[in-house]
Every structure is written in structure tokens, then in C-alpha cells.
Amino acid sequence: MLLKKRLVLFGKTKRLEAQFDEFMDRIIEASLIFERAFKGYLRDGFSEDFSIAVDEVNQIESANDDLKRKIETRLYEQTLIPDLRGDVLSLIEGLDGILNLYQANCYRISIEKPDIPQVYHRDFKALAKASTACVDSLIMASRAFFTNIEAVRDHNVKVMFYETEADKISTRLKTRIFASDLPLEHKIHLRYFSDRVEDSSNRAEDVADNLAIYTLKRSI
Amino acid sequence: MDFTVLIFLTSGLFLGWSLGANDAANVFGTAVGTRMVRFATAAVVSSIFIILGSVLSGAGAAHTLGKLGSINALAGSFMAALAAAMTVYAMTKLELPVSTSQAIVGAIIGWNLFSGSVTDANALIKILGTWVACPILAAAIAAPIYLGIQRLLSWAKLHILRRDVYTRIALILAGAFGSYSLGANNIANVMGVFVPASPFTDFKVADAFTFTGIQQLFLLGAIAIAVGVFTYSKRVMLTVGGGLMPLSPVAAWVVVISHSIVLTLFASEGLEHFLASHDLPTIPLVPVSSSQAVVGAVIGIGLLRGGRNVRWRVLGNISMGWVTTPLISAVLCFVSLFFLQNVFNQQVYTEVTYSLSPKVMDHLVESSLPAEDLTGLKNRKFNRATEFLQAIGQRTYLTGYQQKKILEFSETTDIEIRADIVDALPPDWLSAGQIEAVRKLKGRHFKFKWAVADALEQLSDEWRLYPDSIRNKAHNKQIKAKLDYIYRTFKVSR
């Protein structure tokens, strides 16, 4: 009886571990889809492919919302990791926030269809790439938080590096935009999208900062 | 059983209850406080293992308390336990660190002072020494375990969820171990004073094993502890976690396991026997404070982390507790005994008479004790050990060991080896040879315990005590326990 209960306990734990992994897989997936769709947008303008990408990100977002609720419920119902539960839930919330940013950016592009001149494409692509790399490193840091706490710091250093990269690219891009002869409203629209694409790296940095604190607390 | 006996035992049960409420909280406190283990689980596991520990392994530490002073009247035991329980209760209410062990030792000393009995200095020093050693040992055990577990976890790279499950299981197992050792070590505090005046008699369960009077007494005490766990420990458990230092569940486990190891070291007769048989120094079997073992373990971990998180003031309070707890308990016991005896007309101690009869003088000479200096005291009777020792002190100087021996040899008693009692001796505990030797003494009267021992030793080698040495300690202890049983069983009650 006790053995059976214990086996069930281990089974449930394994399932929850898998759910954490799945949650993070989806964020990486969404970040890659966004980067690919954004590059496609720069190349072809608003297209069928972009609409498909928007749908995909939407689906991922809503599936991850479900998963998040399941994880939260299970953590509370079974009073798992009572000492770290608050931190883990904040982490999940932070990661979910990044996914929401991707979804919102997809919508913004679909609705506002910004006109991005060819001359800024390289910087916009570099900005999207740095932001994706930043989120990717954050996911690795988050996975390490669950299994290999010593590696969190290494991944966090990468998060900071890519965030600074994204910051530099964004500053350069905005300087160039405002130095151009474009009408002010166009400049402001481009600045707005530069900020939105950069947002995910800024958010990733915030989550990584918190993660560093959770990691300190997690040391036994 | 006499109804008054039950009334007298209530103070021991009160002490047991407060031990359950306070000390059991030490074992599962951090686990329940951090919500890693549910209170119901903790209470059930804790109660079962406290009872098992008390009944199966409780005798070791009780022996040392018995040596400190044998409270030989039930009313005296009642007051000693009540004084200790009231001290524990009051100190807990005042939120001062308290140890049941220290309270009961204080109460025994209070009784010794009141009854004119001698407090065995060696036993007292042994007990005081372990109080200091207990937290230090706990810290010394916790630190390497903490380091080891840190390395192990870093190497194993477990998912936090899996680590959580393992930690929960480990906490329950460590808690069970802790409860067992708490029962084994601390039952002596609760029921130890009742051992010499125990109202229970041995009985056999289905002819398979004997359930001794002491075991019955300890079972009763253990049940009181369990009731304390269920009724009052939850509150203490929930506050015990953050007392000294914030602890993670894994660190909490290290604390519980270190506490349990320390308590086991001070309670295990098996370990003592093992060490003795390998010519290693033994650890005295003494009831130690579980609170202090926990505090020691927490500080051990705190020091390893650099000592920044430790609230050092608490350590000061604990050291103060070493002095105040036994002192308050001793004074309380002394004053209460006075009232119990003079206002309620209760017999709080049985008078023990010491007499240096010619037979005793001869025995002193045989045992190489300075009998010639004591000829002036020949045939004089003393009703208090302290007065007797004072009279001896005016004539000659004796070492602590010599004083103890003279008291032992001159204590008078009335023992009659009755045939009907011989037939009822437990054959599974006493060997056939031992029973046969007792049978040969049928009808004889003895005025001194040593005379019974001598007579038995002459009749059978199986009653022989070996020369004092660590290796022979276990054998001698067993023979002495059996002799005590014979003295009690055949004592003529007036």
C-alpha cells in the first residue's frame, strides 16, 4: 500500500517535471517562430506566412496558460516544494510574461503593419536575433535552476550579455532612425517597434535577476 | 492496583505530556513548520516511535538517573516529577529555553537534600558533562553531514521536485528515528523517578516474553508523551522552525538526523556494549536535552555558513538554562516536599537506616575499607545518609568511592527468601543456576543487601560480579539489575 502510494507519488512528480519542461519548450518555440516570422515580415511584408505564425504563437500562448494553471494547482494542492513554491511560481509567471510579449508583438504587427525601410532591416534582424538568444539563455538558466543550480550563473551571464547586445543595437537603430529624413510620425512608429522587439530581452533580464536571487535562496 | 498509585503517577504523566508537547516538536518542528510533512503524519509517526523507543530501549538512561538518587517513596517521586513538570511548563510559558532532563535532575537533587540522601557526585558530574557535550557533539555531527549532503545533492543534480519527494521521505524516516531515540533517551526523565517505587509487577505475554514492570511504567509514560504530541505540539512545531536560524528542508533534515544520532549515542546500551567489547571508550548513558541537541545541530550548520544568520543571544539563554532550570526545579521540589510531608501527611521518602554492625565492620575489612577508623561508630544507627557521612567525616577522610561503598554496605534492610516467591521467579530472565542458588537460600533472613549477594555468589558462579572494567561493565550491570530485582522482590514490607 505504502509502496504503491510512493510509486504514485514518484509518477506524479515525473509528470510535473515533464510539464515544467514542456512549458519552457514552448517559450523557446514561440521565440523562434516570432524571430522567423519577423524576418519574413521584413522580407515579404505582411503575408499568409505571418498570419500562420500569429496563429501558432496564439495557440502556444493559450496552451501554456493551461499548463501554467495545472502546474500552479498541482504545486498548491500537493503542497510541493513549500520552501521554493513562491519562487518557482514567480519564475513561471515571469516566463509566461515573455510569451505574452511575443503574442502582443504578433498582434501589433498584424494590426499596425509598420513600414520598415530596407536600410533598417539588418539592425531589426540583429535586434530580434539578440532578443531571441537572450530568451533562449534565460530558458537554459531556468532549467538549470530546477536541476543543476551551479549552472544558473553561467546562463545568466549569457542573458546579461545578449540583453546588453540588444540594448546597443536598439540604441544604434533608434539613433539612425531619428537622424533620417523620415517624417516624425514614421520615426516614432519605428522607434515604437524597435522598443517592442527589444522588450523580450529586457523582460528576460528582469526574470534572470530574480532567478539569481531564487538561486541564492535555493542553496541548502 | 491501588488508586492512590495512579494519582501519584499523574505528575509523571503531566511531565510526559509537556515533554511530548515541547521535545517532540524538536524532532518534527522544522518539517511541519516548513509544511514538508503534515502535522497528522508527524504526530502519528512520532507517537508510535516514541512508544517503541521508550519500551524497547528506555532502560539505559534510566539507570544513570537511578544512580543519582533513588527516590524510594511514591509521594516523593510524584513531587519530583511535578516540580520538574511545573518548571518545564513555567519556563515554556515564559519562552525561556528549557530542558526536561535538567528539570528532573534538579528535582532529584531537591529530593536528595530533603530526604538527607547523598547525591552521587560522580553521576552528577557525568550528567553535567553531557549537557555541555550534547550540543557540541550535535554541532560536530551536523556540520560534516551538512557538507556531505551538499556535495551529494550537487553531484546528483536532482530535479527540485524529486528532491522535494526524497526530502519528505527522509524527514519522515529521520523523524521516526528521532522519535525512537527521544523515547529511548528521555523516557527516563518522565518515568525514571518512579522506577524504584514502581507499582507494576512483571507479567508474561502468551508465555513468549516477559513484559517487565519497568516496561509497563515506560509504556504509560510514552502514552502521556504521545498525548502531548497530539494535543499541544502543533503550535510549538509551527514556531520552532524560525527560532534560531532560517532553515531549508534539507538543512532541517540534517538537524533532525544529527539530533537523533546524539540522543541515540547517549541512550544505546547496544552501542555501549559494542564499544566496551572493542576496548573503546564508552559514551555515558544519560538522558540529554533534545532541545539542546537541536540547537547544537543548527549552530553547527550556522557556523559552517559563516555564522552570520545565527542568533547568538539564544546560545546565552541556553547556557543560563543550565543553571536556572535545575536550580528552580530543585528549590520547587524541596519546598513542595516539605508541604506534602507536613501539611498532607504523605511519606515522601522511606527512611533508610545505616548501621555499622560487627558483620558490616568485618565486611569493610574484607573489602579493604578503613574499618579501624570507624570503630567509634560501631553499632550506632543513623537514619540519614548525610548525618552518617558527617559522623564518618569527623573521624577520618574517605574518598568519594569509599563513602559510596560504606553507605552501600551499612544500609540495613529486611530480606526474607520466601519459598512461594522463589517458585514465581521468571525463568526466562534468570538462569536455572541463578534460580537454584536463590532456592537454596529458602527461609533465610538477611539484614544487608550485600549479604544476599555474597550468599548467592558463593552458591553459584552465575551470580558472580567480575572486576570493574569497561569490558565487564555490561555483565556486571546485568547481574546488578538482577540482584536489585531479588532485593525488591524478597523485601519484607512493614
Side-chain angles (χ1 to χ4, degrees), chain B residues 7-342:
Chain B
I7 293 176
F8 282 134
L9 273 176
T10 52
S11 68
L13 301 182
F14 175 31
L15 186 60
W17 177 85
S18 52
L19 186 104
N22 288 294
D23 295 40
N26 293 326
V27 181
F28 269 112
T30 40
V32 173
T34 53
R35 313 261 173 204
M36 289 293 279
V37 177
R38 275 180 308 176
F39 172 73
T41 314
V44 170
V45 172
S46 177
S47 303
I48 292 173
F49 282 90
I50 284 174
I51 291 173
L52 285 176
S54 306
V55 177
L56 301 178
S57 312
H63 191 68
T64 308
L65 272 189
K67 264 200 270 184
L68 187 66
S70 289
I71 302 184
N72 56 13
L74 209 47
S77 304
F78 164 81
M79 195 38 83
L82 187 64
M86 280 175 7
T87 309
V88 171
Y89 186 72
M91 298 274 283
T92 309
K93 277 271 161 197
L94 293 171
E95 291 185 358
L96 290 168
V98 62
S99 147
T100 321
S101 316
Q102 289 162 0
I104 198 73
V105 165
I108 291 176
I109 292 172
W111 182 88
N112 281 350
L113 290 172
F114 188 81
S115 65
S117 305
V118 176
T119 303
D120 184 338
N122 281 337
L124 187 62
I125 288 167
K126 194 159 120 180
I127 289 173
L128 295 181
T130 52
W131 286 351
V132 182
C134 167
I136 295 173
L137 196 62
I141 288 172
I145 293 180
Y146 183 76
L147 273 182
I149 207 80
Q150 226 175 9
R151 294 243 165 93
L152 182 74
L153 286 174
S154 155
W155 169 79
K157 302 202 188 325
L158 290 172
H159 195 283
I160 53 168
L161 288 167
R162 199 159 305 184
R163 199 180 85 180
D164 183 66
V165 175
Y166 289 143
T167 309
R168 277 162 205 264
I169 295 169
L171 274 169
I172 292 177
L173 291 177
F177 173 34
S179 302
Y180 186 90
S181 48
L182 178 72
N185 187 287
N186 272 223
I187 189 69
N189 291 328
V190 177
M191 285 288 152
V193 289
F194 292 99
V195 169
S198 170
F200 297 103
T201 49
D202 304 0
F203 69 84
K204 277 188 164 185
V205 181
D207 274 344
F209 70 98
T210 309
F211 197 33
T212 66
I214 290 176
Q215 281 177 329
Q216 294 165 50
L217 193 67
F218 284 3
L219 175 65
L220 197 66
I223 291 170
I225 299 177
V227 173
V229 172
F230 271 98
T231 54
Y232 203 74
S233 71
K234 188 173 184 178
R235 227 185 56 172
V236 189
M237 278 190 194
L238 290 173
T239 51
V240 91
L244 252 182
M245 197 176 80
L247 285 177
S248 69
V250 176
W253 177 82
V254 175
V255 169
V256 175
I257 204 82
S258 313
H259 147 278
S260 313
I261 291 171
V262 171
L263 258 68
T264 305
L265 289 179
F266 285 112
S268 171
E269 284 181 303
L271 179 74
E272 188 189 40
H273 190 77
F274 173 82
L275 290 173
S277 57
H278 288 81
D279 287 330
L280 293 166
T282 56
I283 295 166
L285 302 183
V286 173
V288 287
S289 160
S290 66
S291 326
Q292 286 172 10
V294 165
V295 168
V298 173
I299 285 172
I301 294 173
L303 286 176
L304 212 60
R305 285 180 181 171
R308 283 183 301 275
N309 283 337
V310 181
R311 293 177 201 143
W312 293 103
R313 202 170 51 84
V314 179
L315 247 194
N317 284 349
I318 290 160
S319 318
M320 208 177 72
W322 283 332
V323 184
T324 51
T325 309
L327 207 66
I328 293 171
S329 187
V331 172
L332 194 64
C333 184
F334 189 91
V335 174
S336 314
L337 283 170
F338 177 82
F339 279 102
L340 195 61
Q341 179 180 270
N342 298 308

Side-chain angles (χ1 to χ4, degrees), chain A residues 91 94-95 97-98 101-102 130-139 141-142 156 159-160 162-163 198-211:
Chain A
L91 175 64
L95 294 175
I98 293 173
L101 285 181
Y102 286 128
S131 292
T132 307
C134 191
V135 171
D136 193 39
S137 299
L138 174 68
I139 296 296
S142 306
N156 266 359
V159 173
M160 304 308 158
Y162 287 122
E163 195 279 331
E198 193 199 350
D199 263 355
S200 53
S201 67
N202 287 331
R203 185 66 72 91
E205 189 196 28
D206 293 344
V207 176
D209 282 341
N210 288 335
L211 192 60

Side-chain angles (χ1 to χ4, degrees), chain A residues 17 79 82-83 146 150 218 220, chain B residues 146 154 160 168 248-249 305:
Chain A
E17 278 176 41
T79 55
D83 53 327
F146 288 110
E150 281 104 357
R218 223 203 95 175
I220 67 160
Chain B
Y146 183 76
S154 155
I160 53 168
R168 277 162 205 264
S248 69
R305 285 180 181 171

Side-chain angles (χ1 to χ4, degrees), chain B residues 340-354:
Chain B
L340 195 61
Q341 179 180 270
N342 298 308
V343 179
F344 296 98
N345 288 325
Q346 292 295 323
Q347 187 192 6
V348 293
Y349 62 91
T350 309
E351 218 157 66
V352 179
T353 309
Y354 300 91

